[in-house]
Amino acid sequence: MTTLAQPKESLGRAGVDLLLRVLDGTAPIRGTVPSRLIIRQSTGPCRPGA
């Protein structure tokens, strides 16, 4: 099964930072958190008749 790995600690920190900015009345900032696509063997085209 193909999955998307995301750094949970970085996501949590970004969420808390956003929440604190909103509560403080500061303009929220946009950002990205790096993620990694993990393609596993179970992915592929469907077999005919399956």
Side-chain angles (χ1 to χ4, degrees), residues 4-20 29-36:
L4 185 62
Q6 298 174 319
K8 293 174 183 68
E9 185 176 340
S10 296
L11 287 170
R13 288 181 187 275
V16 169
D17 183 54
L18 176 61
L19 177 61
L20 292 174
I29 57 171
R30 284 187 167 224
T32 59
V33 177
S35 58
R36 184 170 50 107

Side-chain angles (χ1 to χ4, degrees), residues 28-46:
I29 57 171
R30 284 187 167 224
T32 59
V33 177
S35 58
R36 184 170 50 107
L37 181 65
I38 302 171
I39 301 175
R40 298 195 174 132
Q41 297 265 340
S42 62
T43 60
C46 295

